[in-house]
Amino acid sequence: MAAATGKNSAPSAEVKAVAAGWMLEFSCCCLCRHFGDGCPAEFQRWSDVAHALTNGLSKIPTHQKKKVYLCQLLIRIAKGKKLECHFENDKRISPLESALSFWTLLEKEEVELEKLHKDIHQLIQIQIVAVYMENGYFKEAAEALERLFTDSESDKPLRMKLATVIKSKDPYVPLLQTFSYNVLISKIKSYIELFMKENETNFLLQAATKEVESQGLGAITLQSKTVNADENDKENLETKQRPHSGGKLREATVLQSLNGLQNVEKQGHALVSTRKKQRWTYKEDLKLKLGVKEFGVGNWAKILVHGDFNNRTSVMLKDRWRTLCKIQKN
């Protein structure tokens, strides 16, 4: 064992496995946080980390299964509307259909959340069909329906309803609107909240917290000075970085260890930039105008689904349309 931990010797397989486990736990925690907060850039960053860690596992340890399944689920849910993305060798399998397989594995790992499990399972099934229909792929929707359901009596009601929806070729029927993608995301976030409560701490978080606390306020002052922001932004940044909340700063500390990043100024600037308002692009404005032309003013939900906007909501579409109308009048 001494040889495995010597100064110039490589760590043993056991040591590397333990370290990888700690990193996996932390990356899962970060994925959950950024999925819940709706931070796509940070979520993608940690998706890459989690993907690399899970791919490096020759065998999933029993105590890590839940975290691995959850990481894979969230990565696929985040890409759920991107039919061009493929996670399986069978190109017919959409991201959501792949996500369903991992949700089924998660369901087997716990039994106390039966109602939430069932709700999310059905929402994923409905949205698999809905996403195909929103893109005009009605044949693919019908084929997915055949793969999704067994001949059991419990599956029959939903299967029949979705078959009728596909035949109508209308992606805006009440069933699909009621059990929308936003509802699915909301349910997933509810599950994440429960998961995070059960996994409030892990080794890397604890180690990073001790490191931050040992640095004291001096480290916070150093970081706030490197950020190119006004006084209010500096105050907000310092508040987020205090040890008692510590989420962002602990995450940055561990990232430095993983990636060898020691440029505090860049990290501080990244924290500020994530809070900036997302500008509307010319392409998004064009999609909004085309959507209004096709569906009419006020049908923001339909326009949102049809246009595939970048992390927008129907309220944002309505507000932007008002702005465009004002600009045109002037």
Side-chain angles (χ1 to χ4, degrees), residues 17-18 183 198 258:
V18 171
V183 175
E198 294 178 0
L258 294 177

Side-chain angles (χ1 to χ4, degrees), residues 256-295:
Q256 287 181 356
S257 300
L258 294 177
N259 301 326
L261 299 177
Q262 297 182 354
N263 191 327
V264 177
E265 182 175 358
K266 286 184 179 180
Q267 291 187 9
H269 184 71
L271 288 172
V272 175
S273 64
T274 56
R275 298 202 306 270
K276 290 182 179 178
K277 188 175 180 181
Q278 184 178 332
R279 292 180 178 276
W280 279 80
T281 64
Y282 172 79
K283 188 176 180 181
E284 285 181 307
D285 285 343
L286 183 60
K287 286 180 181 179
L288 178 56
K289 292 175 183 177
L290 291 173
V292 170
K293 184 177 180 181
E294 183 173 354
F295 300 106

Side-chain angles (χ1 to χ4, degrees), residues 21-286:
W22 288 339
M23 290 188 287
L24 176 61
E25 288 179 1
F26 186 75
S27 63
C28 182
C29 174
C30 293
L31 271 183
C32 289
R33 181 187 301 121
H34 295 309
F35 188 94
D37 292 343
C39 301
E42 287 298 308
F43 180 84
Q44 183 58 52
R45 184 185 190 188
W46 282 100
S47 293
D48 295 339
V49 175
H51 184 71
L53 289 170
T54 53
N55 278 0
L57 295 174
S58 57
K59 182 181 179 181
I60 304 175
T62 302
H63 70 284
Q64 296 282 21
K65 283 185 177 180
K66 192 172 176 181
K67 296 179 181 66
V68 171
Y69 298 155
L70 182 55
C71 287
Q72 299 289 11
L73 172 80
L74 295 181
I75 290 170
R76 286 156 173 76
I77 292 289
K79 297 289 187 182
K81 290 201 170 190
K82 307 291 184 182
L83 293 176
E84 68 276 12
C85 292
H86 300 290
F87 293 95
E88 311 292 339
N89 291 331
D90 187 346
K91 303 304 181 184
R92 297 175 302 167
I93 307 299
S94 67
L96 281 181
E97 203 170 339
S98 181
L100 184 61
S101 64
F102 282 98
W103 180 249
T104 302
L105 291 172
L106 268 174
E107 288 179 287
K108 294 177 181 178
E109 291 296 311
E110 51 193 10
V111 294
E112 68 276 10
L113 300 173
E114 185 177 350
K115 177 64 167 62
L116 184 58
H117 285 163
K118 183 178 178 181
D119 289 346
I120 292 177
H121 195 110
Q122 289 189 343
L123 278 164
I124 296 176
Q125 289 175 319
I126 291 169
Q127 280 305 305
I128 289 170
V129 172
V131 170
Y132 275 124
M133 292 186 64
E134 288 164 10
N135 288 273
Y137 298 140
F138 304 110
K139 178 184 175 183
E140 288 79 0
E143 291 173 350
L145 186 65
E146 291 297 317
R147 293 192 297 270
L148 287 175
F149 293 97
T150 64
D151 294 328
S152 69
E153 287 299 314
S154 60
D155 287 338
K156 191 174 181 179
L158 182 58
R159 185 174 71 245
M160 296 296 290
K161 287 178 182 178
L162 288 174
T164 303
V165 167
I166 294 171
K167 287 180 181 178
S168 74
K169 295 187 176 182
D170 182 4
Y172 306 109
V173 296
L175 176 67
L176 301 187
Q177 294 300 300
T178 302
F179 301 98
S180 66
Y181 206 84
N182 288 337
V183 175
L184 170 61
I185 297 297
S186 178
K187 286 286 186 179
I188 294 289
K189 288 181 179 180
S190 297
Y191 177 81
I192 287 173
E193 287 178 9
L194 295 173
F195 175 83
M196 293 292 280
K197 285 179 182 178
E198 294 178 0
N199 300 269
E200 290 179 339
T201 58
N202 59 56
F203 178 81
L204 284 186
L205 279 176
Q206 291 171 345
T209 301
K210 289 179 181 178
E211 177 67 19
V212 170
E213 289 174 346
S214 69
Q215 292 174 6
L217 293 175
I220 297 171
T221 304
L222 174 63
Q223 289 202 17
S224 64
K225 286 180 179 179
T226 62
V227 180
N228 184 17
D230 60 29
E231 291 302 317
N232 289 333
D233 279 343
K234 287 180 181 179
E235 271 188 50
N236 292 335
L237 185 60
E238 288 173 4
T239 300
K240 281 197 171 186
Q241 291 176 340
R242 285 176 188 142
H244 70 270
S245 59
K248 286 286 187 180
L249 187 55
R250 288 197 298 266
E251 184 175 319
T253 303
V254 176
L255 266 180
Q256 287 181 356
S257 300
L258 294 177
N259 301 326
L261 299 177
Q262 297 182 354
N263 191 327
V264 177
E265 182 175 358
K266 286 184 179 180
Q267 291 187 9
H269 184 71
L271 288 172
V272 175
S273 64
T274 56
R275 298 202 306 270
K276 290 182 179 178
K277 188 175 180 181
Q278 184 178 332
R279 292 180 178 276
W280 279 80
T281 64
Y282 172 79
K283 188 176 180 181
E284 285 181 307
D285 285 343
L286 183 60

Side-chain angles (χ1 to χ4, degrees), residues 172 290-300 302-304 306-307:
Y172 306 109
L290 291 173
V292 170
K293 184 177 180 181
E294 183 173 354
F295 300 106
V297 176
N299 292 314
W300 308 118
K302 286 187 177 182
I303 295 170
L304 181 66
H306 179 78

